[in-house]
Amino acid sequence: RNVGSSLGDLRLYHNGSDSYIDEVGAGNLYIRNGSKNSIWCQTDGPVHLYNNNSAKLSTSNTGVSVSGSIVATGEIKTLTLLESTSGNDLRLNAGSVNRDIFLQVNDTTLMTVRGSTSNVGIGTDVPAKKLEVFDTTQGVIRIRGGGAGSDTSRKADLSLFASGAREYVVRADASDAAFKIIDVSDSNAERLRINANGSIQITPEGSTGNPYMLIDTSGDSVRFSAKKSSGNNEFRFLTQ
């Protein structure tokens, strides 16, 4: 080791402006505390930072790898992607009571999770319900069953479930191009449908094998018909 000299593999010197530690010989540069590594600089390779002889931060030609947690008191900024690649869950946590989470693009909030209420807002940062969608002209939620093209097996469902009571499904069904209300709690009985031609079919007992009502039009008339797939049927108006 030569100090203040240009000789030797390890050089520690000051050039009049700055101080330098140079490893110019064979091998790598280690800075240690006792026998434990603190910094390991590999020639033409990564740099590793250690805590109690355990590597915590390592550089590479693609970026930086961190082992353990990152604690920041300010902003953490990324240019492209934040992801979990180790098979573990990715958790976004505001970290204290009643803190909110905001998803923003170009400093405009697109989605909000309110910590005080657990309400989620899309297009609004003050959602009044568990999920609120807001648009200045027309707020729309779309549920799409399947991609492009035609497939009669596709359905788009919205499930409404009062826990411990009944579940109903509002369905758009590609098999017959009908809009339906399904009573899931009663073996998926169909209670109401609007057919592709606009007629309305009400099936109180969930099947056209039982009496049901059909509302349709004929010419300038609106017809209310008592129907049944087979057998006799009638239309009754009752008073108590």
Side-chain angles (χ1 to χ4, degrees):
R1 299 181 175 88
N2 292 324
V3 179
S5 169
S6 61
L7 302 177
D9 290 346
L10 180 65
R11 301 173 185 175
L12 174 63
Y13 61 94
H14 187 82
N15 68 355
S17 299
D18 303 294
S19 298
Y20 292 85
I21 301 175
D22 291 346
E23 167 55 59
V24 297
N28 304 308
L29 174 63
Y30 291 85
I31 298 177
R32 301 197 294 177
N33 184 6
S35 62
K36 296 181 177 181
N37 291 332
S38 294
I39 303 175
W40 173 23
C41 303
Q42 293 182 247
T43 303
D44 297 325
V47 175
H48 309 278
L49 300 183
Y50 289 77
N51 178 73
N52 195 27
N53 214 35
S54 177
K56 294 300 180 182
L57 186 147
S58 300
T59 67
S60 69
N61 62 351
T62 58
V64 176
S65 298
V66 176
S67 175
S69 302
I70 298 176
V71 178
T73 58
E75 295 181 350
I76 298 178
K77 296 184 177 181
T78 176
L79 293 178
T80 54
L81 180 66
L82 180 66
E83 68 175 343
S84 171
T85 59
S86 62
N88 294 322
D89 297 332
L90 181 62
R91 181 176 300 166
L92 184 62
N93 182 15
S96 61
V97 177
N98 294 340
R99 294 297 87 197
D100 304 324
I101 295 174
F102 301 95
L103 178 63
Q104 297 182 326
V105 173
N106 198 29
D107 296 325
T108 298
T109 299
L110 303 182
M111 178 181 291
T112 303
V113 180
R114 284 292 182 187
S116 58
T117 61
S118 300
N119 291 348
V120 178
I122 299 175
T124 175
D125 56 5
V126 286
K129 303 296 181 181
K130 287 301 177 184
L131 176 62
E132 181 174 336
V133 177
F134 174 80
D135 185 85
T136 55
T137 303
Q138 182 180 9
V140 178
I141 296 177
R142 187 180 194 186
I143 301 174
R144 185 173 181 177
S150 178
D151 187 337
T152 57
S153 67
R154 293 174 180 167
K155 299 177 178 64
D157 288 1
L158 174 63
S159 174
L160 306 175
F161 180 52
S163 182
R166 296 190 85 83
E167 179 183 5
Y168 290 92
V169 164
V170 179
R171 171 174 296 167
D173 196 334
S175 65
D176 50 16
F179 171 85
K180 303 175 181 178
I181 296 180
I182 308 296
D183 188 348
V184 177
S185 301
D186 190 10
S187 303
N188 292 313
E190 181 183 308
R191 299 302 186 193
L192 181 144
R193 73 157 59 195
I194 301 176
N195 294 305
N197 63 3
S199 63
I200 300 173
Q201 181 176 305
I202 302 173
T203 48
E205 297 182 56
S207 169
T208 57
N210 297 310
Y212 68 95
M213 184 174 73
L214 181 68
I215 304 173
D216 64 357
T217 59
S218 176
D220 294 331
S221 302
V222 176
R223 301 184 299 185
F224 292 80
S225 306
K227 295 282 189 177
K228 191 177 181 183
S229 59
S230 63
N232 299 323
N233 56 80
E234 60 181 347
F235 213 110
R236 293 186 183 183
F237 293 90
L238 304 177
T239 60
Q240 289 185 325

